[in-house]
Amino acid sequence: MTEASRIRAQVQGDKTVVRALLAHEMESGQRKDDAGRVIPAWFIQSVQATHNGRVVMSAQWGTAVSKNPFVQFSFKGGKAGEKVAITWVDNRGARRTDEAVIA
């Protein structure tokens, strides 16, 4: 599978700011290899972040997102020591979930 996502979550005032670097190759399906064959599309289709079982961010992505995408979002209600989980699913059916503790 792929390597772990790097996630940082910090309480800032009344909100929690989450920054994540998701490890994924993100092929658009438009590039060709050295032999001239099209490299098949391979990209993250959906991303979802949860905190205490509640969805705090959800996104649908396509082929235009860069390799190892960075995402940042904030939500209200997080406290230091609690966990935030980010799950992504790609167009080949691969799925990964990573967690971080809120600082």
Side-chain angles (χ1 to χ4, degrees), residues 12 14 17 20 24 38 42 52 57 71 74 83 86-87 96:
Q12 293 181 357
D14 66 340
V17 177
H24 196 282
V38 174
W42 183 34
N52 289 339
M57 189 277 298
V71 62
S74 61
K83 290 184 179 180
I86 296 180
T87 301
R96 179 165 187 108

Side-chain angles (χ1 to χ4, degrees), residues 51-65:
H51 168 256
N52 289 339
R54 177 177 65 109
V55 176
V56 293
M57 189 277 298
S58 177
Q60 300 297 313
W61 288 353
T63 59
V65 178

Side-chain angles (χ1 to χ4, degrees), residues 7-95:
I7 304 169
R8 300 278 189 261
Q10 295 178 315
V11 174
Q12 293 181 357
D14 66 340
K15 63 184 177 180
T16 300
V17 177
V18 180
R19 295 174 183 87
L21 186 63
L22 310 180
H24 196 282
E25 290 298 313
M26 301 294 282
E27 278 296 338
S28 69
Q30 297 178 1
R31 293 186 327 124
K32 294 183 180 182
D33 64 14
D34 293 336
R37 294 180 301 257
V38 174
I39 300 170
W42 183 34
F43 57 93
I44 295 174
Q45 285 186 310
S46 65
V47 180
Q48 188 175 69
T50 57
H51 168 256
N52 289 339
R54 177 177 65 109
V55 176
V56 293
M57 189 277 298
S58 177
Q60 300 297 313
W61 288 353
T63 59
V65 178
S66 68
K67 177 179 178 177
N68 300 323
F70 173 80
V71 62
Q72 178 176 322
F73 60 93
S74 61
F75 65 93
K76 290 188 178 186
K79 296 177 184 163
E82 296 177 339
K83 290 184 179 180
V84 174
I86 296 180
T87 301
W88 58 255
V89 180
D90 70 18
N91 66 318
R92 294 182 184 173
R95 170 185 298 265

